[in-house]
Every structure is written in C-alpha cells, then in structure tokens.
Amino acid sequence: MAIYESEHTKFMREWMEKHPQEVVEQKEGRALWWDKPQDLETQRRNRDSKVPVKAYYYDINNH
C-alpha cells in the first residue's frame, strides 16, 4: 500500500536535499522568532497583569 505524499512535500524534500545549507538558516530563523528561553516569573507577571476585555469594545453603554 502506497503512502500519499503531496507535491509540496516532495518538492520541499528534494529542495532541502539539494540545498543542505538551508537547514542551518532554518534553525537560526526558528531560534530568532520562536525558541525563546522561558522565565516563569515573567510569565506569572504577564498573566497577572492582564485586563479583562469587555464583550463588545465599542458599546458606549458598557463602560
């Protein structure tokens, strides 16, 4: 039984095989935007400082 593989997946697999240097750039980009060190104290302060949002922001009778 054959396993389906999309055209995009095939393209990306072949492209990454032809351009191995992109793996390093991909990891650097991920580290820049996503992989951030986690600080529990900062997370707690952010969670505690949230202000509840009103149901409908533009309702003049709900202030």
Side-chain angles (χ1 to χ4, degrees):
M1 180 173 188
I3 297 175
Y4 174 76
E5 185 174 62
S6 72
E7 292 294 321
H8 180 72
T9 302
K10 289 177 187 175
F11 169 77
M12 289 305 297
R13 188 181 321 281
E14 292 170 5
W15 193 83
M16 292 298 274
E17 287 173 3
K18 292 177 185 173
H19 302 89
Q21 72 278 7
E22 291 300 319
V23 173
V24 174
E25 188 173 336
Q26 184 183 35
K27 288 181 180 181
E28 288 173 355
R30 180 182 169 103
L32 177 66
W33 292 104
W34 297 105
D35 295 337
K36 301 291 183 189
Q38 300 297 308
D39 178 19
L40 295 177
E41 179 61 25
T42 302
Q43 288 179 359
R44 184 193 62 75
R45 281 187 316 201
N46 289 343
R47 185 180 58 245
D48 293 345
S49 66
K50 285 189 177 182
V51 177
V53 179
K54 296 186 187 306
Y56 184 65
Y57 185 78
Y58 296 105
D59 185 3
I60 61 171
N61 298 318
N62 197 13
H63 286 277

